[in-house]
Amino acid sequence: MRPARRNRLDAVTAASTPELEADRQALIGLISDEAVFHGDFTLSSGKKATYYVDMRKLTLDHRAAPAIGRLVLDLVKDLDGVVAVGGLTLGADPIANAVMHESVHAGRPLDAFVVRKEPKDHGRGRQIEGADVAGKRVVVVEDTSTTGQSALKAVEALRREGAEVVAVAVIVDRKTGAQAAIEAEGLQWLASIDLDDLGLQPQ
């Protein structure tokens, strides 16, 4: 097992304890074995790719979800005053739930929220469900990001509701420009795993 490391120049933040690093290495193995598909793909950005990292296979998998919750919780643990995590439905939803449950086990509970792609056209017309985010410090989570636009759509909705978004945390950094887009909005970019960990090249 590789030793834990912090604050790598490429912004990937590895786990802070040997136990969490073991979780991270196990998750890297699962991603490599079961969530990386090779072929001809079109990404949500419209870009072409020769592989696709399908993290939803694992964010919704009982073997991976607890570790994902612990690892994302570890990413955000040094951010002062954060009370909730969430992001754009539906990719962020299982991650936010995993973090919420693991935060209770860790004794530092965080709530979760869901950002709809559009406000509801009935009921209370809400776009953000779950935790009350007005005036609160929150983190947007996502499984992986190509351009950062899904995360930024969530950030925009949260800011309209009066939330203070402090960071975007992703499981896998594809190294395709998302970090720059997020940081251009004055937000911290946090990632647990990058393409080097998976033996993949940026595309």
PDB file of all heavy atoms in Angstrom, residues 31 34-44 47 49-57 143-144 146 174 200 203:
ATOM      1  N   ILE A  31     -12.773   0.640  -9.351  1.00  0.00           N
ATOM      2  CA  ILE A  31     -12.983   1.498 -10.523  1.00  0.00           C
ATOM      3  C   ILE A  31     -12.271   0.902 -11.729  1.00  0.00           C
ATOM      4  O   ILE A  31     -12.847   0.782 -12.823  1.00  0.00           O
ATOM      5  CB  ILE A  31     -12.497   2.931 -10.246  1.00  0.00           C
ATOM      6  CG1 ILE A  31     -13.346   3.594  -9.162  1.00  0.00           C
ATOM      7  CG2 ILE A  31     -12.546   3.775 -11.538  1.00  0.00           C
ATOM      8  CD1 ILE A  31     -12.779   4.906  -8.647  1.00  0.00           C
ATOM      9  N   GLU A  34     -14.099  -2.432 -12.761  1.00  0.00           N
ATOM     10  CA  GLU A  34     -15.532  -2.510 -13.060  1.00  0.00           C
ATOM     11  C   GLU A  34     -16.159  -1.238 -13.606  1.00  0.00           C
ATOM     12  O   GLU A  34     -17.300  -1.281 -14.082  1.00  0.00           O
ATOM     13  CB  GLU A  34     -16.292  -2.936 -11.798  1.00  0.00           C
ATOM     14  CG  GLU A  34     -15.843  -4.280 -11.261  1.00  0.00           C
ATOM     15  CD  GLU A  34     -16.700  -4.763 -10.108  1.00  0.00           C
ATOM     16  OE1 GLU A  34     -17.874  -4.346 -10.029  1.00  0.00           O
ATOM     17  OE2 GLU A  34     -16.198  -5.556  -9.292  1.00  0.00           O
ATOM     18  N   ALA A  35     -15.462  -0.110 -13.560  1.00  0.00           N
ATOM     19  CA  ALA A  35     -16.114   1.143 -13.949  1.00  0.00           C
ATOM     20  C   ALA A  35     -15.408   1.875 -15.087  1.00  0.00           C
ATOM     21  O   ALA A  35     -15.854   2.953 -15.483  1.00  0.00           O
ATOM     22  CB  ALA A  35     -16.228   2.076 -12.742  1.00  0.00           C
ATOM     23  N   VAL A  36     -14.320   1.318 -15.616  1.00  0.00           N
ATOM     24  CA  VAL A  36     -13.640   1.921 -16.761  1.00  0.00           C
ATOM     25  C   VAL A  36     -13.968   1.094 -18.001  1.00  0.00           C
ATOM     26  O   VAL A  36     -13.647  -0.104 -18.058  1.00  0.00           O
ATOM     27  CB  VAL A  36     -12.112   1.990 -16.556  1.00  0.00           C
ATOM     28  CG1 VAL A  36     -11.447   2.588 -17.802  1.00  0.00           C
ATOM     29  CG2 VAL A  36     -11.774   2.837 -15.329  1.00  0.00           C
ATOM     30  N   PHE A  37     -14.612   1.730 -18.964  1.00  0.00           N
ATOM     31  CA  PHE A  37     -15.031   1.051 -20.189  1.00  0.00           C
ATOM     32  C   PHE A  37     -14.271   1.646 -21.365  1.00  0.00           C
ATOM     33  O   PHE A  37     -14.193   2.874 -21.508  1.00  0.00           O
ATOM     34  CB  PHE A  37     -16.537   1.198 -20.393  1.00  0.00           C
ATOM     35  CG  PHE A  37     -17.339   0.524 -19.313  1.00  0.00           C
ATOM     36  CD1 PHE A  37     -17.639   1.196 -18.132  1.00  0.00           C
ATOM     37  CD2 PHE A  37     -17.766  -0.779 -19.457  1.00  0.00           C
ATOM     38  CE1 PHE A  37     -18.360   0.584 -17.121  1.00  0.00           C
ATOM     39  CE2 PHE A  37     -18.487  -1.414 -18.450  1.00  0.00           C
ATOM     40  CZ  PHE A  37     -18.784  -0.734 -17.287  1.00  0.00           C
ATOM     41  N   HIS A  38     -13.719   0.789 -22.194  1.00  0.00           N
ATOM     42  CA  HIS A  38     -12.942   1.235 -23.347  1.00  0.00           C
ATOM     43  C   HIS A  38     -13.773   1.077 -24.623  1.00  0.00           C
ATOM     44  O   HIS A  38     -14.511   0.108 -24.786  1.00  0.00           O
ATOM     45  CB  HIS A  38     -11.638   0.443 -23.444  1.00  0.00           C
ATOM     46  CG  HIS A  38     -10.717   0.688 -22.281  1.00  0.00           C
ATOM     47  ND1 HIS A  38      -9.822   1.740 -22.250  1.00  0.00           N
ATOM     48  CD2 HIS A  38     -10.591   0.044 -21.091  1.00  0.00           C
ATOM     49  CE1 HIS A  38      -9.172   1.714 -21.095  1.00  0.00           C
ATOM     50  NE2 HIS A  38      -9.619   0.698 -20.376  1.00  0.00           N
ATOM     51  N   GLY A  39     -13.659   2.060 -25.509  1.00  0.00           N
ATOM     52  CA  GLY A  39     -14.431   2.073 -26.751  1.00  0.00           C
ATOM     53  C   GLY A  39     -14.511   3.486 -27.276  1.00  0.00           C
ATOM     54  O   GLY A  39     -13.646   4.326 -26.972  1.00  0.00           O
ATOM     55  N   ASP A  40     -15.539   3.782 -28.040  1.00  0.00           N
ATOM     56  CA  ASP A  40     -15.762   5.132 -28.569  1.00  0.00           C
ATOM     57  C   ASP A  40     -16.954   5.736 -27.847  1.00  0.00           C
ATOM     58  O   ASP A  40     -18.085   5.233 -27.953  1.00  0.00           O
ATOM     59  CB  ASP A  40     -16.014   5.082 -30.076  1.00  0.00           C
ATOM     60  CG  ASP A  40     -14.793   4.598 -30.842  1.00  0.00           C
ATOM     61  OD1 ASP A  40     -13.680   5.034 -30.482  1.00  0.00           O
ATOM     62  OD2 ASP A  40     -14.951   3.796 -31.774  1.00  0.00           O
ATOM     63  N   PHE A  41     -16.708   6.820 -27.120  1.00  0.00           N
ATOM     64  CA  PHE A  41     -17.752   7.430 -26.296  1.00  0.00           C
ATOM     65  C   PHE A  41     -17.836   8.925 -26.591  1.00  0.00           C
ATOM     66  O   PHE A  41     -16.842   9.557 -26.948  1.00  0.00           O
ATOM     67  CB  PHE A  41     -17.467   7.233 -24.809  1.00  0.00           C
ATOM     68  CG  PHE A  41     -17.406   5.790 -24.390  1.00  0.00           C
ATOM     69  CD1 PHE A  41     -16.188   5.134 -24.277  1.00  0.00           C
ATOM     70  CD2 PHE A  41     -18.567   5.094 -24.114  1.00  0.00           C
ATOM     71  CE1 PHE A  41     -16.125   3.809 -23.894  1.00  0.00           C
ATOM     72  CE2 PHE A  41     -18.512   3.758 -23.732  1.00  0.00           C
ATOM     73  CZ  PHE A  41     -17.292   3.114 -23.624  1.00  0.00           C
ATOM     74  N   THR A  42     -19.030   9.476 -26.408  1.00  0.00           N
ATOM     75  CA  THR A  42     -19.231  10.921 -26.431  1.00  0.00           C
ATOM     76  C   THR A  42     -19.567  11.349 -25.015  1.00  0.00           C
ATOM     77  O   THR A  42     -20.525  10.856 -24.413  1.00  0.00           O
ATOM     78  CB  THR A  42     -20.375  11.312 -27.377  1.00  0.00           C
ATOM     79  OG1 THR A  42     -20.061  10.848 -28.693  1.00  0.00           O
ATOM     80  CG2 THR A  42     -20.542  12.829 -27.406  1.00  0.00           C
ATOM     81  N   LEU A  43     -18.764  12.269 -24.467  1.00  0.00           N
ATOM     82  CA  LEU A  43     -18.968  12.741 -23.107  1.00  0.00           C
ATOM     83  C   LEU A  43     -20.078  13.789 -23.075  1.00  0.00           C
ATOM     84  O   LEU A  43     -20.520  14.291 -24.106  1.00  0.00           O
ATOM     85  CB  LEU A  43     -17.667  13.324 -22.569  1.00  0.00           C
ATOM     86  CG  LEU A  43     -16.454  12.381 -22.606  1.00  0.00           C
ATOM     87  CD1 LEU A  43     -15.210  13.102 -22.114  1.00  0.00           C
ATOM     88  CD2 LEU A  43     -16.710  11.126 -21.783  1.00  0.00           C
ATOM     89  N   SER A  44     -20.534  14.131 -21.878  1.00  0.00           N
ATOM     90  CA  SER A  44     -21.597  15.127 -21.746  1.00  0.00           C
ATOM     91  C   SER A  44     -21.177  16.477 -22.317  1.00  0.00           C
ATOM     92  O   SER A  44     -22.015  17.275 -22.726  1.00  0.00           O
ATOM     93  CB  SER A  44     -21.978  15.287 -20.267  1.00  0.00           C
ATOM     94  OG  SER A  44     -20.863  15.700 -19.502  1.00  0.00           O
ATOM     95  N   LYS A  47     -17.324  16.099 -26.147  1.00  0.00           N
ATOM     96  CA  LYS A  47     -16.008  15.611 -26.550  1.00  0.00           C
ATOM     97  C   LYS A  47     -16.037  14.108 -26.767  1.00  0.00           C
ATOM     98  O   LYS A  47     -16.791  13.387 -26.125  1.00  0.00           O
ATOM     99  CB  LYS A  47     -14.963  15.950 -25.479  1.00  0.00           C
ATOM    100  CG  LYS A  47     -14.636  17.422 -25.355  1.00  0.00           C
ATOM    101  CD  LYS A  47     -13.599  17.666 -24.280  1.00  0.00           C
ATOM    102  CE  LYS A  47     -12.281  17.007 -24.608  1.00  0.00           C
ATOM    103  NZ  LYS A  47     -11.226  17.334 -23.624  1.00  0.00           N
ATOM    104  N   ALA A  49     -14.190  10.392 -26.593  1.00  0.00           N
ATOM    105  CA  ALA A  49     -13.255   9.745 -25.681  1.00  0.00           C
ATOM    106  C   ALA A  49     -13.128   8.275 -26.044  1.00  0.00           C
ATOM    107  O   ALA A  49     -14.053   7.675 -26.600  1.00  0.00           O
ATOM    108  CB  ALA A  49     -13.734   9.890 -24.238  1.00  0.00           C
ATOM    109  N   THR A  50     -11.970   7.706 -25.718  1.00  0.00           N
ATOM    110  CA  THR A  50     -11.741   6.279 -25.990  1.00  0.00           C
ATOM    111  C   THR A  50     -11.962   5.421 -24.749  1.00  0.00           C
ATOM    112  O   THR A  50     -11.813   4.207 -24.805  1.00  0.00           O
ATOM    113  CB  THR A  50     -10.312   6.051 -26.516  1.00  0.00           C
ATOM    114  OG1 THR A  50      -9.379   6.534 -25.534  1.00  0.00           O
ATOM    115  CG2 THR A  50     -10.107   6.780 -27.841  1.00  0.00           C
ATOM    116  N   TYR A  51     -12.281   6.071 -23.626  1.00  0.00           N
ATOM    117  CA  TYR A  51     -12.698   5.325 -22.443  1.00  0.00           C
ATOM    118  C   TYR A  51     -13.725   6.162 -21.700  1.00  0.00           C
ATOM    119  O   TYR A  51     -13.832   7.373 -21.889  1.00  0.00           O
ATOM    120  CB  TYR A  51     -11.512   4.978 -21.532  1.00  0.00           C
ATOM    121  CG  TYR A  51     -10.809   6.163 -20.929  1.00  0.00           C
ATOM    122  CD1 TYR A  51     -11.318   6.818 -19.802  1.00  0.00           C
ATOM    123  CD2 TYR A  51      -9.618   6.643 -21.473  1.00  0.00           C
ATOM    124  CE1 TYR A  51     -10.678   7.906 -19.251  1.00  0.00           C
ATOM    125  CE2 TYR A  51      -8.967   7.721 -20.922  1.00  0.00           C
ATOM    126  CZ  TYR A  51      -9.500   8.362 -19.815  1.00  0.00           C
ATOM    127  OH  TYR A  51      -8.872   9.442 -19.273  1.00  0.00           O
ATOM    128  N   TYR A  52     -14.484   5.494 -20.867  1.00  0.00           N
ATOM    129  CA  TYR A  52     -15.529   6.160 -20.082  1.00  0.00           C
ATOM    130  C   TYR A  52     -15.466   5.620 -18.662  1.00  0.00           C
ATOM    131  O   TYR A  52     -15.421   4.399 -18.460  1.00  0.00           O
ATOM    132  CB  TYR A  52     -16.903   5.890 -20.689  1.00  0.00           C
ATOM    133  CG  TYR A  52     -18.037   6.596 -19.975  1.00  0.00           C
ATOM    134  CD1 TYR A  52     -18.197   7.969 -20.065  1.00  0.00           C
ATOM    135  CD2 TYR A  52     -18.947   5.880 -19.195  1.00  0.00           C
ATOM    136  CE1 TYR A  52     -19.233   8.621 -19.412  1.00  0.00           C
ATOM    137  CE2 TYR A  52     -19.992   6.520 -18.537  1.00  0.00           C
ATOM    138  CZ  TYR A  52     -20.118   7.897 -18.660  1.00  0.00           C
ATOM    139  OH  TYR A  52     -21.142   8.539 -18.005  1.00  0.00           O
ATOM    140  N   VAL A  53     -15.427   6.526 -17.693  1.00  0.00           N
ATOM    141  CA  VAL A  53     -15.425   6.135 -16.288  1.00  0.00           C
ATOM    142  C   VAL A  53     -16.856   6.279 -15.769  1.00  0.00           C
ATOM    143  O   VAL A  53     -17.349   7.385 -15.587  1.00  0.00           O
ATOM    144  CB  VAL A  53     -14.452   6.998 -15.463  1.00  0.00           C
ATOM    145  CG1 VAL A  53     -14.431   6.531 -14.001  1.00  0.00           C
ATOM    146  CG2 VAL A  53     -13.045   6.962 -16.051  1.00  0.00           C
ATOM    147  N   ASP A  54     -17.521   5.154 -15.577  1.00  0.00           N
ATOM    148  CA  ASP A  54     -18.924   5.144 -15.169  1.00  0.00           C
ATOM    149  C   ASP A  54     -19.006   4.973 -13.658  1.00  0.00           C
ATOM    150  O   ASP A  54     -19.201   3.875 -13.139  1.00  0.00           O
ATOM    151  CB  ASP A  54     -19.664   4.012 -15.886  1.00  0.00           C
ATOM    152  CG  ASP A  54     -21.154   4.013 -15.571  1.00  0.00           C
ATOM    153  OD1 ASP A  54     -21.611   4.913 -14.825  1.00  0.00           O
ATOM    154  OD2 ASP A  54     -21.860   3.109 -16.051  1.00  0.00           O
ATOM    155  N   MET A  55     -18.865   6.092 -12.944  1.00  0.00           N
ATOM    156  CA  MET A  55     -18.828   6.017 -11.487  1.00  0.00           C
ATOM    157  C   MET A  55     -20.162   5.648 -10.870  1.00  0.00           C
ATOM    158  O   MET A  55     -20.220   5.206  -9.721  1.00  0.00           O
ATOM    159  CB  MET A  55     -18.330   7.342 -10.913  1.00  0.00           C
ATOM    160  CG  MET A  55     -16.827   7.533 -11.015  1.00  0.00           C
ATOM    161  SD  MET A  55     -15.901   6.209 -10.204  1.00  0.00           S
ATOM    162  CE  MET A  55     -16.478   6.366  -8.517  1.00  0.00           C
ATOM    163  N   ARG A  56     -21.263   5.809 -11.604  1.00  0.00           N
ATOM    164  CA  ARG A  56     -22.556   5.464 -11.012  1.00  0.00           C
ATOM    165  C   ARG A  56     -22.670   3.970 -10.757  1.00  0.00           C
ATOM    166  O   ARG A  56     -23.468   3.541  -9.908  1.00  0.00           O
ATOM    167  CB  ARG A  56     -23.693   5.983 -11.889  1.00  0.00           C
ATOM    168  CG  ARG A  56     -23.774   7.495 -11.803  1.00  0.00           C
ATOM    169  CD  ARG A  56     -24.769   8.112 -12.733  1.00  0.00           C
ATOM    170  NE  ARG A  56     -24.431   9.527 -12.891  1.00  0.00           N
ATOM    171  CZ  ARG A  56     -25.088  10.351 -13.683  1.00  0.00           C
ATOM    172  NH1 ARG A  56     -26.108   9.913 -14.389  1.00  0.00           N
ATOM    173  NH2 ARG A  56     -24.724  11.611 -13.777  1.00  0.00           N
ATOM    174  N   LYS A  57     -21.888   3.182 -11.471  1.00  0.00           N
ATOM    175  CA  LYS A  57     -21.855   1.753 -11.169  1.00  0.00           C
ATOM    176  C   LYS A  57     -21.383   1.508  -9.738  1.00  0.00           C
ATOM    177  O   LYS A  57     -21.759   0.507  -9.118  1.00  0.00           O
ATOM    178  CB  LYS A  57     -20.925   1.021 -12.140  1.00  0.00           C
ATOM    179  CG  LYS A  57     -21.553   0.638 -13.463  1.00  0.00           C
ATOM    180  CD  LYS A  57     -20.608  -0.188 -14.289  1.00  0.00           C
ATOM    181  CE  LYS A  57     -20.220  -1.502 -13.643  1.00  0.00           C
ATOM    182  NZ  LYS A  57     -21.344  -2.458 -13.535  1.00  0.00           N
ATOM    183  N   ASP A 143     -19.408  12.769  -8.920  1.00  0.00           N
ATOM    184  CA  ASP A 143     -18.612  11.559  -9.083  1.00  0.00           C
ATOM    185  C   ASP A 143     -17.357  11.821  -9.905  1.00  0.00           C
ATOM    186  O   ASP A 143     -16.252  11.463  -9.530  1.00  0.00           O
ATOM    187  CB  ASP A 143     -19.450  10.409  -9.663  1.00  0.00           C
ATOM    188  CG  ASP A 143     -20.249  10.787 -10.895  1.00  0.00           C
ATOM    189  OD1 ASP A 143     -20.044  11.881 -11.466  1.00  0.00           O
ATOM    190  OD2 ASP A 143     -21.101   9.965 -11.295  1.00  0.00           O
ATOM    191  N   THR A 144     -17.526  12.444 -11.051  1.00  0.00           N
ATOM    192  CA  THR A 144     -16.401  12.856 -11.880  1.00  0.00           C
ATOM    193  C   THR A 144     -16.856  14.033 -12.719  1.00  0.00           C
ATOM    194  O   THR A 144     -18.058  14.243 -12.878  1.00  0.00           O
ATOM    195  CB  THR A 144     -15.899  11.696 -12.768  1.00  0.00           C
ATOM    196  OG1 THR A 144     -14.736  12.114 -13.477  1.00  0.00           O
ATOM    197  CG2 THR A 144     -16.957  11.250 -13.744  1.00  0.00           C
ATOM    198  N   THR A 146     -15.979  16.520 -16.298  1.00  0.00           N
ATOM    199  CA  THR A 146     -15.188  16.771 -17.498  1.00  0.00           C
ATOM    200  C   THR A 146     -14.901  18.261 -17.659  1.00  0.00           C
ATOM    201  O   THR A 146     -13.759  18.681 -17.803  1.00  0.00           O
ATOM    202  CB  THR A 146     -15.924  16.235 -18.746  1.00  0.00           C
ATOM    203  OG1 THR A 146     -16.196  14.849 -18.560  1.00  0.00           O
ATOM    204  CG2 THR A 146     -15.076  16.416 -19.995  1.00  0.00           C
ATOM    205  N   ARG A 174     -10.795  13.837 -13.909  1.00  0.00           N
ATOM    206  CA  ARG A 174     -10.463  13.406 -15.267  1.00  0.00           C
ATOM    207  C   ARG A 174      -9.364  14.259 -15.911  1.00  0.00           C
ATOM    208  O   ARG A 174      -8.903  13.956 -17.005  1.00  0.00           O
ATOM    209  CB  ARG A 174     -11.705  13.465 -16.153  1.00  0.00           C
ATOM    210  CG  ARG A 174     -12.744  12.423 -15.819  1.00  0.00           C
ATOM    211  CD  ARG A 174     -13.955  12.565 -16.737  1.00  0.00           C
ATOM    212  NE  ARG A 174     -13.577  12.485 -18.136  1.00  0.00           N
ATOM    213  CZ  ARG A 174     -13.543  11.358 -18.846  1.00  0.00           C
ATOM    214  NH1 ARG A 174     -13.881  10.223 -18.273  1.00  0.00           N
ATOM    215  NH2 ARG A 174     -13.192  11.373 -20.101  1.00  0.00           N
ATOM    216  N   LEU A 200      -4.655   5.827 -16.512  1.00  0.00           N
ATOM    217  CA  LEU A 200      -5.274   6.366 -17.723  1.00  0.00           C
ATOM    218  C   LEU A 200      -4.636   7.688 -18.118  1.00  0.00           C
ATOM    219  O   LEU A 200      -4.055   8.388 -17.293  1.00  0.00           O
ATOM    220  CB  LEU A 200      -6.774   6.592 -17.489  1.00  0.00           C
ATOM    221  CG  LEU A 200      -7.605   5.344 -17.142  1.00  0.00           C
ATOM    222  CD1 LEU A 200      -9.012   5.761 -16.731  1.00  0.00           C
ATOM    223  CD2 LEU A 200      -7.653   4.377 -18.320  1.00  0.00           C
ATOM    224  N   GLN A 203      -7.826  12.896 -21.858  1.00  0.00           N
ATOM    225  CA  GLN A 203      -8.283  13.013 -23.242  1.00  0.00           C
ATOM    226  C   GLN A 203      -9.300  14.138 -23.378  1.00  0.00           C
ATOM    227  O   GLN A 203      -9.733  14.699 -22.428  1.00  0.00           O
ATOM    228  CB  GLN A 203      -8.895  11.725 -23.775  1.00  0.00           C
ATOM    229  CG  GLN A 203      -9.397  10.731 -22.785  1.00  0.00           C
ATOM    230  CD  GLN A 203     -10.049   9.528 -23.434  1.00  0.00           C
ATOM    231  OE1 GLN A 203      -9.594   8.980 -24.432  1.00  0.00           O
ATOM    232  NE2 GLN A 203     -11.139   9.108 -22.869  1.00  0.00           N
TER     233      GLN A 203
END
